[in-house]
Amino acid sequence: AGHSLGGVILFELLRTGSPKLSFIPQVLFTMGSPVGLFLHTADSIPNRSFSLPGGTRYFNIFHPLDPVAYRVEPLIAEELEKLDPERIPCDSDQPNWGGYKPNHALHQMGKTMYTWARGEEKAQNDLLRLIGGVALNAG
């Protein structure tokens, strides 16, 4: 696993194969890493068939408000920009948020309210599910 610039260094070590490692990692996790920024600014964006040597799987974990972390998948396949990044559930002492941090739950609720206002039935059911789990303090 690599955090921030360390993630960029690990990614490049694996991508270029230089220097040669004595092992082949099965998975690379980067957290809060600007790999996407470095690939983009260096005009070194991998093509759709890109894979890390040895079949190493790559997971890029970031917080949407992190000014250093960037998504990688929209660089490789432009249509993926339209998809929201996958959220990672967390343990929480606030069980009413459905396992998500409050900022993620509120973001989802805002998106759902927008589609609900447009009259989409699925969004109405999603909104009721989300609101039903939020404890409101009226006092």
Side-chain angles (χ1 to χ4, degrees):
H3 176 257
S4 195
L5 190 55
V8 174
I9 294 167
L10 289 171
F11 184 85
E12 283 300 302
L13 279 172
L14 292 174
R15 184 171 79 111
T16 62
S18 177
K20 189 83 169 147
L21 300 176
S22 61
F23 63 96
I24 299 173
Q26 293 180 352
V27 180
L28 170 62
F29 288 94
T30 57
M31 295 166 271
S33 179
V35 167
L37 173 69
F38 280 80
L39 291 172
H40 186 75
T41 57
D43 202 22
S44 181
I45 300 169
N47 62 32
R48 291 182 74 90
S49 63
F50 171 78
S51 65
L52 289 170
T56 300
R57 296 181 67 194
Y58 176 56
F59 295 91
N60 181 41
I61 301 169
F62 67 97
H63 190 281
L65 300 178
D66 185 339
V68 175
Y70 291 84
R71 290 179 69 182
V72 174
E73 67 280 7
L75 292 174
I76 297 171
E78 197 172 300
E79 67 274 8
L80 293 177
E81 181 180 5
K82 295 175 185 138
L83 296 177
D84 286 338
E86 196 65 36
R87 291 199 167 81
I88 300 173
C90 66
D91 289 333
S92 175
D93 58 356
Q94 301 174 5
N96 292 331
W97 292 105
Y100 291 107
K101 292 193 180 229
N103 61 318
H104 293 293
L106 290 171
H107 174 77
Q108 183 60 43
M109 191 179 296
K111 284 176 48 179
T112 303
M113 288 174 74
Y114 174 75
T115 54
W116 172 76
R118 292 188 351 214
E120 297 178 20
E121 187 175 328
K122 180 185 179 312
Q124 291 174 358
N125 294 333
D126 289 345
L127 182 62
L128 291 173
R129 181 182 50 78
L130 285 168
I131 291 175
V134 178
L136 300 176
N137 184 356

